[in-house]
């Protein structure tokens, strides 16, 4: 059974710092991996999707990497801003078009 | 264009009552997914549809939970005889094709069972 773990559970940093969020999964036979952002009481916003054949994806200040063989992904956020404060969720799917399996998330707080 | 729409946004009900939660996916999206999220946890899969066909309902916790998507457009998640443990955020997502699997989420329905 696929399990997704995110470390740390919470993180507080001052504005301007670069930071890394970690995600690990137990079954390396994934189809793709997505990183999401969730603001309190709101739905999920997709940030980056990495197909199993890819190593990384970039969008603005965000960079996500994937090492499928070791079952790990990282989300790198450059020059953090207070507006980045949210919960970041990692999710994998094992087959095309099937359900996502989520970690519990990392709650990020960026202070000004 | 419009995103995934869920209604109601908030639902408060008494234990034992039945509730129905609605999801309108992005127009033209083939697949529709239901998830449940408890406080401080990641979303957990409930069920999903391709067009009107329910493909997987293995995540539904028991037979009080059911879902349908009769015309392949909107979907309804029904919970019968609600219990306090059903209180959670219920999230709906849709994806355009069967292969790419980028899922777009709605804002969710916050269900509180008193």
């Amino acid at each position: 059974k696929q399990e997704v773990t995110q470390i740390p559970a919470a993180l507080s940093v001052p504005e301007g710092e670069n930071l890394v969020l970690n995600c690990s999964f137990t079954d390396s036979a994934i189809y793709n991996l997505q990183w999401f952002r969730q603001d309190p009481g709101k739905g999920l916003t997709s940030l980056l999707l990495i197909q199993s054949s890819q190593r990384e994806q970039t969008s603005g200040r965000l960079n996500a990497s994937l090492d499928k063989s070791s079952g790990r992904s990282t989300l790198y956020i450059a020059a953090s801003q207070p507006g980045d404060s949210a919960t970041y969720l990692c999710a994998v799917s094992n087959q095309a078009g099937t359900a996502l399996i989520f970690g519990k998330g990392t709650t990020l707080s960026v202070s000004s | 264009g419009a995103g995934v729409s869920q209604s109601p946004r908030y639902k408060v009900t008494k234990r034992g009552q039945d509730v129905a939660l609605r999801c309108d996916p992005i127009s033209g999206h083939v697949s529709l997914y239901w998830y449940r999220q408890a406080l401080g946890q990641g979303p957990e899969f409930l069920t999903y549809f391709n067009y009107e066909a329910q493909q997987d309902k293995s995540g539904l916790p028991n037979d009080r939970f059911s879902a349908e998507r009769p015309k392949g457009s909107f979907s309804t998640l029904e919970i019968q005889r609600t219990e306090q443990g059903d209180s959670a955020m219920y999230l709906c997502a849709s994806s355009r094709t069967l292969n790419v699997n980028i899922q777009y989420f709605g804002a969710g329905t916050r269900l509180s069972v008193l």
Side-chain angles (χ1 to χ4, degrees):
Chain A
K1 177 186 173 186
Q2 179 72 273
E3 293 184 0
V4 179
T5 302
Q6 292 188 245
I7 295 172
L11 182 62
S12 293
V13 300
E15 182 177 7
E17 274 205 8
N18 303 324
L19 56 101
V20 174
L21 308 181
N22 297 291
C23 172
S24 62
F25 44 96
T26 55
D27 184 351
S28 62
I30 64 169
Y31 182 73
N32 61 32
L33 182 145
Q34 276 186 262
W35 282 93
F36 292 88
R37 169 185 172 137
Q38 186 174 32
D39 292 289
K42 302 292 178 62
L44 280 64
T45 301
S46 180
L47 298 174
L48 291 163
L49 178 142
I50 310 177
Q51 299 289 356
S52 61
S53 58
Q54 297 174 322
R55 299 281 296 182
E56 66 176 343
Q57 284 286 335
T58 298
S59 176
R61 293 183 293 109
L62 304 179
N63 176 276
S65 67
L66 173 64
D67 184 344
K68 206 174 77 161
S69 61
S70 67
R72 296 178 186 273
S73 175
T74 61
L75 178 68
Y76 175 82
I77 303 177
S80 58
Q81 303 171 357
D84 295 331
S85 299
T87 296
Y88 291 81
L89 292 156
C90 168
V92 300
S93 70
N94 289 348
Q95 295 179 30
T98 60
L100 295 174
I101 301 163
F102 285 85
K104 292 184 178 181
T106 294
T107 298
L108 173 65
S109 176
V110 182
S111 56
S112 56
Chain B
V4 177
S5 177
Q6 293 188 244
S7 60
R9 289 292 314 281
Y10 304 92
K11 178 70 177 177
V12 180
T13 191
K14 293 183 178 179
R15 189 175 52 185
Q17 297 294 306
D18 300 345
V19 297
L21 312 181
R22 177 176 170 128
C23 173
D24 288 88
I26 295 172
S27 178
H29 276 203
V30 167
S31 301
L32 185 150
Y33 306 81
W34 284 99
Y35 296 85
R36 179 169 72 170
Q37 186 178 25
L39 275 174
Q41 303 293 314
E44 292 184 338
F45 167 73
L46 295 176
T47 185
Y48 87 98
F49 297 82
N50 288 337
Y51 303 101
E52 71 279 4
Q54 192 170 22
Q55 297 295 315
D56 183 353
K57 56 180 181 178
S58 63
L60 295 176
N62 51 60
D63 60 8
R64 295 187 298 106
F65 289 74
S66 64
E68 62 176 12
R69 192 185 184 195
K71 297 182 179 179
S73 56
F74 74 92
S75 175
T76 303
L77 177 69
E78 295 189 352
I79 309 173
Q80 296 181 320
R81 304 180 303 281
T82 52
E83 301 175 356
Q84 288 184 329
D86 298 334
S87 297
M89 175 77 89
Y90 289 81
L91 294 164
C92 176
S94 69
S95 65
R96 184 169 54 87
T97 71
L98 300 178
N99 294 324
V100 178
N101 203 31
I102 298 177
Q103 295 188 17
Y104 299 89
F105 281 78
T109 295
R110 170 73 67 186
L111 175 65
S112 296
V113 182
L114 305 178

